[in-house]
Amino acid sequence: MSDLTTGLNPMQKKAVLKTEGPLLLLAGAGSGKTRVLTHRIAYLIEQGIRPYNIMAITFTNKAAKEMKERVEKITPFGKDVWVSTFHSSCVRILRRDIDRLGYTSQFTIYDSDDSERLIKDILKTFNINDKNFPAKMIMNEISGQKNELISAAAYSELAGDDFRMKTISRVYTEYQKRMKQNNSLDFDDLIFKTVQLFSQNPDILEKYRDRFLYIMVDEYQDTNSCQYNLIRQLSSKYQNLCVVGDDDQSIYGWRGANIRNILDFEKDFKNASVIKLEQNYRSTKTILDAANAVIKNNFSRKDKELWTDNEKGGLIKYKKAESDLEEAMFIASEIKKGKEKGREYKDFAILYRNNALSRTIEDRLVKDSIPYRLLGGVPFYSRKEIKDIMCYLKVLYNPSDDVALKRIINVPKRGIGDATVEKVSAFADSNEISVYDALRNVEEIPELKIRSKKLSDFRKLISDLSEDVLSLNIKDLLETVMLKTGYKEELEKEGTEEAQGRIDNLNELISKAAEFEEHSEKSDLSAFLEEVALVADIDNYSEEDDTVVLMTLHSSKGLEFPVVFIAGFEEGIFPSYRSILEPSPTAVEEERRLCYVGITRAKKQLYITCAKTRLQHGNYISNAPSRFIKELPDEFIENDIFSSKNSNKTVKSPATVSSKYNPRENKNYSSYSKMLSPKNVIIDFKVGDKVKQAKYGIGTVTSISPAGADYEVTVEFPSAGTKKFMAALSKFKKID
């Protein structure tokens, strides 16, 4: 076998040869960690370690497949190494020994839809109002508890007299009971139950400890408490644990990842060695210097600094556009210039903090005939919430559109099940009429007498909305549909990050309508539906096509592109409002790590863009440039043809400007840097009052302060501690 360390740099070589005892590999972005891991596995085999005794754990099936293939190319014995994801590994273990926990090996695995349906059944059984306790909110709570290794019994003890926690505890307990009756596990159970299996059965744990003499874990910064405990259990006997990760790329705290796992590795594993992989093979010196300058502002991190032998490269191009439309035009223009100079479309990636920001950019790419595709998401107009609301508009425009009507007849949930819809459809077919016309004659369908009122109510809703079409513009019609159907209200009550993302997308759709009316010669419903349909149809490219890539910053982790744009570089967007309002600085630190991830995706050229004004929620608002741009030294920024970042005025919170005011026609932007007081937000509570919030229950208001177009409200909750909210978004209910 050839020398496995040939071609490795000194620190990579050191990592491959260090095989005994706990080892932390701090692997910076683009430092060749996968190569180190695969060569380390091959070296262990070369030293006489049986492949059967080596375990490598990753987070994704794609990463596991890539690692296994690369190991097998290096050594013919690679196929016998246990290379798998956390969840796949646990399934293999549980299939063999889950009978010790009272299940059979033929257990089924529930996805989120299965779990949600089960929780909804439990809510009905317990007569719990699902408006106050949405199933998805309870799912998220149960998932979070399992990630922290808190069982239903333990959660019940923690609940005490807290009404919200006691209610969730009842559901959690019953949920686990029924899951066991159904011989099923959900996604979180796979790891939770494996840890439980090992804890309750020392003989089984000993068997796996003696099998996995050498354990390697990739992306260690993304592990949660449950995964951490699983690794501790398996590695505690022989201590030959190698974890690979980068605390500066820990960006999943919102879904349970605990950065302390990597920061405290030396405390948790005595006599641990630390090797830093700081040489980057991906990016230019300028890009790496910029990344280092930003991330050093984080307090909770390991000391390291990326460097490279690559060329210095061009400066970072910073564009402060007058509006989000100009921002999108600039991005498209730079892509076209790059294409003219010989680059391919697939060389370009456009990154943003949340999916709602993609809409303006997508529209511009379509207008400029630039092919694109989205990773880590679906095209804006193909997202569920957008399609749902657009289907309402389609039915209002053409009631005979049965496909659109069937999609929304029970969205939001209004008690019209699939069986009922099938009976209405059968009646329509037999009488050769549309489903909507069948609803006019629902009393003539004997099988539907019980459901006739709900069907009639739905038909009346559509009829009432049809009258609004005649009197409202598109923007106001969209808002009316979302209000009268209760669509947005249902998402607000969920209180989850996913629900908030959907609300953001709906608000972006309203912005799209306002923009459409402002710029289109014909701005009626027919023209709007036609424009949206054309945009939706443009995104039909396979991954092999030469297309620009659009994705969120979270989705970009692990990828790299010659040219990267980071759009929406503004306070309140990036970093997000939620992180800014958190009393602890850790939330903003995670946003800064996300910025670091975005910067280090670029190989040759990085663009950073923001807008002085942005159309959001149908209104023009002005966000201050992101604090992260101010953390970049001037020498890394190209300022000759771009706005100087030093001229930016600080705005602590976005100021809302009337939607009737058009900044595209008025070049006096001085008013945008002034803080406006809330004008359209009315609150009926004061400091000291009790208020009810959908997610955290009842709390006491401790402070209220103006924050641009809204009020920032601080509330102290008995079980959740101090939380900050924007009043208009949170919709507090005063408790007398």
Side-chain angles (χ1 to χ4, degrees):
M1 183 179 292
S2 61
D3 186 353
L4 291 168
T5 60
T6 299
L8 300 180
N9 67 43
M11 300 310 289
Q12 290 176 329
K13 181 176 179 180
K14 185 177 179 181
V16 168
L17 299 180
K18 171 63 179 171
T19 60
E20 306 303 309
L23 172 63
L24 169 60
L25 290 183
L26 282 175
S31 61
K33 63 168 184 171
T34 303
R35 188 180 187 200
V36 171
L37 280 175
T38 53
H39 280 68
R40 193 172 189 271
I41 292 171
Y43 180 75
L44 284 169
I45 296 173
E46 188 180 63
Q47 297 306 301
I49 305 300
R50 295 171 59 202
Y52 177 84
N53 295 129
I54 302 172
M55 180 187 213
I57 300 179
T58 69
F59 268 83
T60 66
N61 290 321
K62 179 181 178 182
K65 181 182 178 184
E66 179 185 357
M67 185 179 294
K68 197 167 185 67
E69 288 175 347
R70 289 175 68 167
V71 170
E72 290 177 10
K73 286 182 180 179
I74 301 174
T75 170
F77 307 106
K79 63 180 182 300
D80 296 323
V81 177
W82 182 303
V83 182
S84 181
T85 65
F86 270 102
H87 293 93
S88 295
S89 293
C90 289
V91 169
R92 290 175 65 179
I93 293 169
L94 292 172
R95 289 290 182 201
R96 298 171 183 173
D97 296 299
I98 199 172
D99 59 294
R100 299 282 191 97
L101 298 178
Y103 296 76
T104 75
S105 60
Q106 295 177 301
F107 63 83
T108 54
I109 302 171
Y110 275 16
D111 61 20
S112 58
D113 288 338
D114 297 325
S115 296
E116 185 178 358
R117 290 189 180 189
L118 180 55
I119 288 175
K120 286 181 176 179
D121 286 342
I122 294 170
L123 293 176
K124 290 179 182 178
T125 300
F126 289 163
N127 197 27
I128 296 173
N129 190 330
D130 60 0
K131 292 183 179 180
N132 297 329
F133 291 90
K136 285 189 176 179
M137 179 272 288
I138 294 178
M139 280 175 58
N140 289 337
E141 183 74 12
I142 292 175
S143 176
Q145 298 307 314
K146 289 180 179 179
N147 287 338
E148 292 298 320
L149 275 179
I150 298 174
S151 66
Y155 187 76
S156 179
E157 292 183 12
L158 291 173
D161 295 327
D162 184 281
F163 174 73
R164 175 181 174 275
M165 291 182 67
K166 283 176 65 177
T167 304
I168 295 174
S169 174
R170 289 180 64 202
V171 178
Y172 187 5
T173 301
E174 182 67 16
Y175 174 77
Q176 290 305 114
K177 176 184 175 183
R178 295 196 188 184
M179 289 287 286
K180 193 168 186 178
Q181 289 174 345
N182 296 342
N183 195 41
S184 299
L185 303 178
D186 62 26
F187 209 57
D188 298 306
D189 276 329
L190 297 177
I191 301 175
F192 183 90
K193 291 295 181 183
T194 304
V195 173
Q196 186 180 56
L197 175 70
F198 288 159
S199 299
Q200 296 178 7
N201 301 274
D203 59 319
I204 296 176
L205 176 57
E206 189 70 11
K207 178 178 68 175
Y208 285 102
R209 281 175 174 169
D210 286 336
R211 171 170 181 178
F212 301 129
L213 305 181
Y214 294 85
I215 300 174
M216 279 161 273
V217 183
D218 195 12
E219 303 288 3
Y220 191 66
Q221 77 279 350
D222 294 334
T223 54
N224 58 35
S225 297
C226 197
Q227 291 161 335
Y228 164 81
N229 275 274
L230 176 67
I231 296 303
R232 284 296 300 263
Q233 287 177 320
L234 289 171
S235 64
S236 60
K237 183 173 182 179
Y238 296 101
Q239 296 282 306
N240 294 324
L241 171 65
C242 170
V243 300
V244 186
D246 182 5
D247 52 304
D248 289 335
Q249 296 187 73
S250 179
I251 59 174
Y252 296 114
W254 50 275
R255 70 181 188 194
N258 187 351
I259 193 174
R260 300 310 313 179
N261 292 346
I262 191 167
L263 294 179
D264 295 339
F265 184 81
E266 297 101 309
K267 297 178 183 177
D268 297 335
F269 298 89
K270 303 303 179 184
N271 303 315
S273 300
V274 179
I275 297 175
K276 299 178 183 179
L277 303 181
E278 297 169 292
Q279 183 175 359
N280 176 283
Y281 293 91
R282 173 190 301 159
S283 306
T284 65
K285 286 183 172 69
T286 298
I287 290 171
L288 295 184
D289 288 344
N292 289 328
V294 170
I295 201 63
K296 73 178 182 181
N297 291 283
N298 270 5
F299 177 77
S300 301
R301 66 183 295 262
K302 300 275 190 181
D303 181 42
K304 61 181 175 302
E305 187 165 322
L306 293 178
W307 63 275
T308 185
D309 284 333
N310 293 342
E311 63 182 353
K312 182 178 180 180
L315 296 177
I316 295 169
K317 298 187 177 183
Y318 170 56
K319 173 67 172 178
K320 186 178 182 183
E322 298 293 342
S323 69
D324 53 340
L325 292 179
E326 185 183 308
E327 177 188 45
M329 290 173 65
F330 169 77
I331 292 172
S333 174
E334 291 300 297
I335 291 172
K336 287 191 290 185
K337 289 178 184 177
K339 187 78 164 96
E340 290 170 0
K341 292 178 180 179
R343 288 202 179 277
E344 297 180 277
Y345 284 124
K346 64 184 178 182
D347 291 339
F348 299 92
I350 305 171
L351 313 181
Y352 33 78
R353 178 60 181 84
N354 60 66
N355 279 313
L357 293 176
S358 75
R359 196 274 304 168
T360 304
I361 297 171
E362 286 188 65
D363 283 358
R364 187 71 247 173
L365 296 180
V366 170
K367 288 182 171 113
D368 286 357
S369 300
I370 297 174
Y372 72 94
R373 57 193 166 98
L374 283 89
L375 295 182
V378 295
F380 181 82
Y381 296 110
S382 296
R383 293 163 189 160
K384 179 184 183 304
E385 59 277 7
I386 302 301
K387 288 181 71 70
D388 287 344
I389 297 302
M390 291 305 300
C391 279
Y392 271 103
L393 297 192
K394 288 181 180 180
V395 171
L396 296 180
Y397 179 68
N398 175 21
S400 297
D401 187 339
D402 287 354
V403 172
L405 189 142
K406 287 180 182 180
R407 180 184 178 97
I408 62 171
I409 195 169
N410 199 39
V411 176
K413 300 292 185 183
R414 50 176 64 94
I416 303 175
D418 293 341
T420 299
V421 175
E422 288 177 6
K423 291 174 182 176
V424 175
S425 296
F427 180 84
D429 291 341
S430 62
N431 288 275
E432 298 183 348
I433 58 176
S434 69
V435 172
Y436 185 77
D437 286 335
L439 294 177
R440 298 176 187 273
N441 303 285
V442 69
E443 295 81 7
E444 299 178 20
I445 309 175
E447 309 96 309
L448 296 179
K449 285 186 178 179
I450 298 177
R451 300 291 178 191
S452 61
K453 185 178 186 308
K454 292 180 178 179
L455 292 169
S456 298
D457 288 346
F458 172 73
R459 183 183 58 77
K460 186 177 186 304
L461 170 67
I462 298 300
S463 178
D464 291 343
L465 287 172
S466 296
E467 295 179 6
D468 293 325
V469 173
L470 302 175
S471 58
L472 299 176
N473 59 31
I474 306 301
K475 171 182 170 292
D476 291 340
L477 177 61
L478 280 169
E479 292 178 326
T480 300
V481 168
M482 294 176 196
L483 175 65
K484 289 188 175 181
T485 61
Y487 196 100
K488 187 180 286 189
E489 181 183 7
E490 184 175 76
L491 290 175
E492 289 169 346
K493 287 179 179 178
E494 280 186 22
T496 64
E497 179 133 352
E498 178 186 0
Q500 185 57 51
R502 290 184 173 182
I503 292 171
D504 290 343
N505 288 335
L506 292 176
N507 290 332
E508 185 64 15
L509 180 62
I510 293 172
S511 295
K512 162 65 183 178
E515 180 184 304
F516 170 78
E517 292 174 333
E518 183 178 324
H519 296 287
S520 299
E521 293 182 8
K522 185 181 179 183
S523 58
D524 60 13
L525 181 56
S526 172
F528 182 68
L529 291 171
E530 180 178 325
E531 173 156 318
V532 170
L534 290 175
V535 172
D537 288 340
I538 199 69
D539 193 55
N540 292 319
Y541 299 95
S542 68
E543 290 195 8
E544 289 74 30
D545 284 337
D546 180 24
T547 60
V548 175
V549 176
L550 281 71
M551 73 187 85
T552 64
L553 284 150
H554 282 98
S555 298
S556 73
K557 187 167 175 289
L559 302 176
E560 58 184 46
F561 303 90
V563 183
V564 168
F565 296 85
I566 305 180
F569 222 71
E570 301 155 28
E571 289 288 296
I573 295 177
F574 191 30
S576 68
Y577 266 132
R578 185 170 298 186
S579 66
I580 294 172
L581 295 179
E582 280 286 334
S584 168
T586 56
V588 169
E589 288 208 350
E590 179 157 319
E591 293 286 297
R592 187 175 284 108
R593 293 194 291 270
L594 189 58
C595 179
Y596 173 84
V597 166
I599 292 173
T600 54
R601 298 312 94 194
K603 297 168 68 176
K604 298 293 185 182
Q605 183 64 62
L606 174 65
Y607 290 82
I608 292 175
T609 67
C610 64
K612 289 183 180 178
T613 62
R614 189 174 295 277
L615 191 58
Q616 289 185 323
H617 307 176
N619 293 316
Y620 293 107
I621 69 170
S622 177
N623 296 322
S626 170
R627 66 191 67 189
F628 302 143
I629 192 66
K630 298 176 178 65
E631 295 173 358
L632 289 170
D634 290 338
E635 60 264 30
F636 301 145
I637 305 293
E638 184 176 308
N639 280 320
D640 54 340
I641 60 172
F642 301 93
S643 303
S644 172
K645 71 188 181 72
N646 294 324
S647 67
N648 296 329
K649 295 182 179 180
T650 300
V651 181
K652 294 182 179 179
S653 179
T656 300
V657 183
S658 168
S659 60
K660 296 180 181 179
Y661 182 79
N662 187 351
R664 296 162 175 81
E665 297 175 358
N666 189 327
K667 299 305 179 183
N668 179 11
Y669 287 93
S670 60
S671 62
Y672 283 88
S673 62
K674 297 178 181 178
M675 179 67 68
L676 301 185
S677 298
K679 294 181 179 179
N680 300 316
V681 179
I682 300 175
I683 55 177
D684 63 350
F685 53 83
K686 60 184 183 301
V687 173
D689 285 348
K690 299 282 188 183
V691 294
K692 185 174 184 180
Q693 200 273 339
K695 181 176 181 180
Y696 299 107
I698 297 175
T700 303
V701 178
T702 58
S703 73
I704 303 173
S705 59
D710 204 344
Y711 289 97
E712 180 183 299
V713 182
T714 304
V715 184
E716 180 72 29
F717 296 97
S719 60
T722 301
K723 301 290 180 181
K724 293 186 179 182
F725 307 87
M726 302 308 287
L729 294 175
S730 299
K731 294 188 176 181
F732 292 109
K733 181 178 180 181
K734 181 180 177 181
I735 304 298
D736 297 321

